[in-house]
Structures are given as structure tokens and as C-alpha cells.
Amino acid sequence: MRRGNVEQPSSIITFLVMSPLTTFIQFMLFYGKKIRIASAFILLSTSAPLWFVSEAIFPQLVQAYTARVDLSIDRLPGDNYETLLRRAEAAARAATQRNFDQDILVTDVSIYVSVQNYGAIAPVLVLEVSRPQWRTRPDPQLWAKYFKTSRSLLFFGENFKKPTANQPDTDTTPAPESQPDDPKVPPNMTPPAPTQPTN
């Protein structure tokens, strides 16, 4: 019986030691969810005001960008190269002003103007300007860069005939020299070369 008395106190001590530990674990499990919910609520409720305060003190930079526009104009009857350039400058000026007026985030504008002349298309000018430059001097001739080869690409050189109202400009070769009138030879044919007598 002495053995039974010795074992009994040890089981009571184990039960007493385990009881506060289990109670603490159950307490932590029960209140752990509430603590997580409360900490999440505190974090969320303080993050929004902190974000507003940081944005008020240190605002982010505005995302500025360059607007790029491609314009194409057609040659009108009676237009020469200089009038086409004036029309291209007017179109570039209008497009530049429209882009700056419509979008306040646009800091730079790049306008490419092409001309179409009897099926040939070539760029004639590019206008690249920033908002402060345009505000001080809204002149397209000041900011435009002209393409020198456009005149020949659009058939405006000295070797090309100007079209008339009755005749379309299909042949760009110079007219042949006039032939002397010969009653024996029709006007479309060239006279035969004289023959040399042989000895």
C-alpha cells in the first residue's frame, strides 16, 4: 500500500501543473482571434489617414508625356510647294494648340505633317515644341524642321511639268523639241536620215 500512496501525489501534481497551462492555451486561442481582428482594424483605420497626410505633405510628381500626331494633307488644284508648306504649318499650329488645350499633362508635342500629291506621299515638316516654348512663341515656323527632299519627292522640281486643268499630270518627262515641217513626213514621225553616196 505504500506504493499506491507514492503514485497518487505525483498524478495530482501533474494535473495541477497541466491545468493552468491548458487554461492559458484555451485563453489564447479564444482571445487570439479577437486580438487579430482588433489589430487588423487598428492597422486599417490608421493607414488611410496616414496615406492622406503623406500625400498632402509629399505629393507625387505628375506623369507628363509627349503627344505625337501624324497629319496628312492633300494637294489642291493650283497649289505650289510654298502654298502647301503654308497649309502644313497652319495644320501643325492648330494640332499643337489643340493638344496643349485638351490635355494638361502634355508637356511636349511632336507633329509630323505629310503631303500627298498625285499618289506620292512625303513628310514636309515636323514640329517639336514644349509647352513653355509654345506659350512664349506660338509660331510654327520657329519650331518646325523642314525636309529638303520633299519638294522633289512630291514632283515639284524644275524638271517636272505643272498640270493644267484640261490635262492630268501623267507624263513628267520634258516635251520633245519641235521638228521642222516636212510635207512628206507625218507630224508624229521623224524624217529619215540622209544617206551618204558610196563610191
Side-chain angles (χ1 to χ4, degrees), residues 127-141:
L127 185 124
E128 294 176 331
V129 65
S130 67
R131 187 182 290 269
Q133 290 171 336
W134 187 256
R135 191 177 296 131
T136 57
R137 299 280 306 269
D139 184 12
Q141 290 182 349

Side-chain angles (χ1 to χ4, degrees), residues 4-196:
N5 288 340
V6 172
E7 288 180 14
Q8 201 169 13
S10 66
S11 65
I12 292 173
I13 292 171
T14 307
F15 177 73
L16 290 175
V17 170
M18 290 300 289
S19 177
L21 184 60
T22 355
T23 307
F24 180 73
I25 290 173
Q26 289 176 351
F27 173 77
M28 289 304 291
L29 289 175
F30 178 71
Y31 287 106
K33 290 181 183 178
K34 292 187 178 187
I35 290 171
R36 279 185 290 216
I37 291 171
S39 64
F41 178 74
I42 291 170
L43 283 175
L44 290 175
S45 63
T46 57
S47 63
L50 284 175
W51 180 76
F52 283 120
V53 169
S54 67
E55 284 296 314
I57 295 173
F58 305 108
Q60 290 183 356
L61 295 175
V62 177
Q63 296 292 330
Y65 63 94
T66 300
R68 186 178 189 280
V69 179
D70 292 324
L71 298 176
S72 178
I73 58 175
D74 292 331
R75 178 186 177 195
L76 297 176
D79 276 351
N80 59 14
Y81 190 71
E82 285 70 28
T83 57
L84 273 175
L85 281 181
R86 299 296 86 78
R87 286 180 51 216
E89 289 168 355
R93 176 186 167 86
T96 302
Q97 191 64 48
R98 183 172 50 248
N99 276 290
F100 283 139
D101 291 343
Q102 286 179 351
D103 195 352
I104 61 170
L105 297 179
V106 172
T107 56
D108 296 307
V109 169
S110 180
I111 309 288
Y112 288 84
V113 181
S114 300
V115 172
Q116 181 174 0
N117 181 27
Y118 296 106
I121 300 173
V124 291
L125 68 90
V126 59
L127 185 124
E128 294 176 331
V129 65
S130 67
R131 187 182 290 269
Q133 290 171 336
W134 187 256
R135 191 177 296 131
T136 57
R137 299 280 306 269
D139 184 12
Q141 290 182 349
L142 183 65
W143 309 112
K145 296 175 187 170
Y146 299 91
F147 298 104
K148 294 179 182 179
T149 57
S150 298
R151 179 186 292 266
S152 60
L153 290 174
L154 293 169
F155 306 119
F156 280 105
E158 294 87 20
N159 296 334
F160 302 108
K161 291 192 321 182
K162 291 184 180 178
T164 60
N166 299 335
Q167 169 188 358
D169 187 20
T170 55
D171 186 17
T172 57
T173 58
E177 296 179 9
S178 61
Q179 300 293 331
D181 292 335
D182 191 359
K184 300 176 191 172
V185 179
N188 293 339
M189 294 183 63
T190 58
T195 58
Q196 298 280 338

